Amino acid sequence: MRRITVFGATGSVGESTLDLLARRDDVKVVALTGGRQVARLAELAQAHRAELAVTAHEECYGPLKAALAGSGIEVAAGPAAVVEAGYRQADWVMSAIVGAAGLAPGFAALSQGRTVALANKESLVTAGKLLMSEARAHGATVLPVDSEHSAVFQALVGEDIAAVETVTLTASGGGLRDWPLEKLAHATVADAASHPNWAMGQRITIDSASMFNKAMEVIEAREFFSLSPEQIRVLIHPQSLVHALVAFRDGAIMAHLGSPDMRHPIGYALNWPKRAELPVARLDLATAGRLDFAAPDLRRYPALRLAQEVMRAGGAAGAVFNAAKEVALDHFIDGEIGFLDMAGVVEDTLARHDAVTGLGNAAESLQDVLDIDATARRRAVEVIRARGRAA
Ligand code: NAD
Ligand code: MG
C-alpha cells in the first residue's frame, strides 16, 4: 500500500487527486487537509478512510469533530496542524493548497524526504531556490503538477537540460482574451472567474484572465528546471490542447498535447516514473481541427513583463511578487480595486519593497520567506490605499 497525503483536498486539484485515488486499490490515504468546507472535508475523509482530517481554521475544529464523530478518523485544526500532517509517514504527498499558505506544509513533507507532487506554484515562486535545495538535502522528489510544467517534464524525459534552447508555456488567454483593452478595466469578478477550457478554483481562474497565472508559471518553470529568464516563452493558444513546447539546440521541438484535464498531470505524477491508464478524454486532432497560436501582447498582460523583471531581480522578488499579487487579488475579489489595477499594485509594491528593503537579498530560511511575505503584504495594502487616495 502506498501511503498518500493530500493538502488542499477540498479544492479543485485535491478533488481531482482523490478522484484518481478512488479508482485504485493500492493506496492508503493518510491525511486530508482543507479550509472552511468542513462538510466536504468530512465526506472525503470518510469516503477515503483517511487516518486524519485537518482543517486550517481553528474555529472549524468543533464542526469537523462533530461531522466525523464515531468514524475513528483523527481530527485536528489550525495552520500548525496542517504543517504537522506533512510529518506523518507517507510515500506520496499532493501539495494543492492555494496561495503562500501551501509553503510550510510542502516544506514539512520535503523535510521528511517524501515524493511531493507540487500543484502549489506559489511555493516555487516565493521560495524556489530554497525549496529545491531542501528537496535535495533530504533526498525528496518534487514532481510538477501544473499542466504546463508536467508537459515540459515529460518532454524532457531522457534529454539533457543543457540541450534545451527554449521552453514555451502555452496560455489560453483566460475568460477575457477577446475583450477590447478599453473594456478590461471594467471587468467584474464574475467576468474574470469564468474559464473557456479549464475548470479550476476561483483564484487561479481570475489569475488566468489577468495572466498573473502565466507570470507565476514562468517563474515556476525557471525555478523548477533551472532555466534562464530568456529561455522561457509564453504563447497564446486558445484551444489549450498543446500544454508546452521544448525547443532543443538541434532545432527540434517537442510538444505535449492532451485534453485539458488536470487528472492527466496529477495522474502522471502519481504513476511516475511509469505511465498507467488514466480516465481522461482522448484528444482527437481531426475533431479539434485546428491549433491556433499568437504572441501575447505585453500591454494587455503587464503581469508577463513583471515576471521577467522579477526573474532578473532574483532574491526576494518572487516572494514580494506573489504576496502583492495575492493581496491585489483579494482586493479585486472584494470589489475594492479594478481588474487592471492588480498589475499596478504588484508593480508599485515591488518598487516600494526595492526602495525600502531591496529586492536582492535572497531568503535563507523558510522563516525569512514568511517574513518577506508578511512585509510585502503590508506594503501592498499601503500601495492600494495610496493609489486610492491618488485616484
Ligand atoms: P482551490 O481554491 O480549488 O482549492 C484550494 C485548497 O486549499 C482547498 O482545499 C482549500 O480549503 C485550501 N486552502 C485555502 N486556503 C488555505 C489556507 N490558508 N490554509 C490551508 N488550506 C487552505 O484551488 P485549486 O484550483 O485546486 O489550486 C490549488 C493549487 O494548485 C494552487 O496553487 C493553484 O495555482 C495550483 N494549480 C491549480 C490548477 C487547477 O486546475 N485548479 C492547475 C495548476 C495549478
Ligand atoms: Mg498551469
Side-chain angles (χ1 to χ4, degrees):
M1 287 289 193
R2 275 173 94 194
R3 291 174 56 84
I4 292 184
T5 282
V6 181
F7 287 117
T10 54
S12 164
V13 171
E15 292 266 6
S16 294
T17 305
L18 289 169
D19 173 80
L20 292 179
L21 297 182
R23 298 161 194 267
R24 300 174 67 132
D25 50 18
D26 61 343
V27 301
K28 167 81 194 102
V29 172
V30 179
L32 297 182
T33 83
R36 292 185 199 281
Q37 293 155 295
V38 170
R40 186 62 187 146
L41 179 59
E43 218 167 75
L44 290 168
Q46 264 172 325
H48 292 270
R49 299 169 185 280
E51 290 175 11
L52 167 70
V54 188
T55 161
H57 306 284
E58 259 134 38
E59 67 278 15
C60 295
Y61 178 79
L64 184 61
K65 185 84 186 156
L68 288 173
S71 66
I73 298 170
E74 273 176 76
V75 172
V82 176
V83 173
E84 235 4 73
Y87 294 120
R88 285 229 169 179
Q89 205 275 313
D91 303 297
W92 193 88
V93 175
M94 167 54 78
S95 167
I97 289 172
V98 64
L103 197 58
F107 266 79
L110 288 175
S111 74
Q112 304 302 303
R114 312 278 188 250
T115 295
V116 176
L118 192 69
N120 179 264
K121 60 191 81 186
E122 295 86 352
S123 300
L124 280 170
V125 174
T126 55
K129 305 245 167 349
L130 205 60
L131 184 134
M132 296 310 268
S133 74
E134 181 82 357
R136 277 190 298 274
H138 297 281
T141 303
V142 186
L143 298 170
V145 171
D146 218 337
S147 57
E148 299 78 0
H149 305 71
S150 174
V152 172
F153 190 70
Q154 293 177 51
L156 286 173
V157 170
E159 304 287 354
D160 180 357
I161 192 82
V164 172
E165 264 178 3
T166 62
V167 162
T168 300
L169 310 179
T170 58
S172 68
L176 309 176
R177 186 190 59 229
D178 300 322
W179 282 39
L181 191 53
E182 330 62 89
K183 234 185 110 188
L184 276 184
H186 308 292
T188 64
V189 173
D191 295 329
S194 79
H195 198 282
N197 307 331
W198 295 93
M200 309 184 287
Q202 186 199 41
R203 299 182 71 87
I204 184 175
T205 305
I206 298 172
D207 282 349
S208 294
S210 63
M211 260 330 168
F212 264 110
N213 181 49
K214 208 52 53 180
M216 302 270 290
E217 290 183 357
V218 164
I219 303 169
E220 182 187 6
R222 165 174 167 77
E223 299 297 343
F224 192 91
F225 300 106
S226 305
L227 298 164
S228 69
E230 299 72 31
Q231 279 179 297
I232 311 168
R233 313 260 160 96
V234 172
L235 203 52
I236 304 263
H237 169 47
Q239 293 89 357
S240 296
L241 298 176
V242 177
H243 304 307
L245 303 135
V246 179
F248 294 94
R249 66 174 171 217
D250 61 358
I253 296 177
M254 301 287 276
H256 180 287
L257 288 82
S259 39
D261 184 335
M262 282 305 291
R263 291 177 305 173
H264 175 75
I266 295 166
Y268 183 80
L270 191 59
N271 295 317
W272 179 86
K274 294 190 181 143
R275 285 185 189 271
E277 173 74 21
L278 288 174
V280 298
R282 272 39 180 174
L283 170 59
D284 175 9
L285 284 175
T287 306
R290 56 187 287 176
L291 300 171
D292 297 306
F293 300 97
D297 176 353
L298 292 190
R299 281 170 315 161
R300 204 180 160 84
Y301 300 119
L304 293 179
R305 171 177 54 77
L306 292 175
Q308 288 294 329
E309 290 172 14
V310 164
M311 290 190 294
R312 274 192 288 272
V320 174
F321 176 79
N322 179 70
K325 194 274 304 177
E326 288 193 27
V327 170
L329 180 58
D330 289 338
H331 286 251
F332 172 65
I333 291 173
D334 293 344
E336 286 158 27
I337 63 172
F339 181 73
L340 291 178
D341 295 328
M342 288 191 283
V345 168
V346 174
E347 184 157 22
D348 290 0
T349 306
L350 280 164
R352 185 170 295 199
H353 196 95
D354 195 23
V356 182
T357 314
L359 287 172
N361 302 335
E364 279 168 21
S365 66
L366 180 57
Q367 192 52 51
D368 281 358
V369 179
L370 297 175
D371 291 346
I372 296 166
D373 177 83
T375 307
R377 277 171 204 269
R378 229 177 21 247
R379 291 206 171 119
V381 172
E382 286 163 17
V383 161
I384 290 171
R385 290 210 190 104
R387 289 169 65 95
R389 279 194 298 275

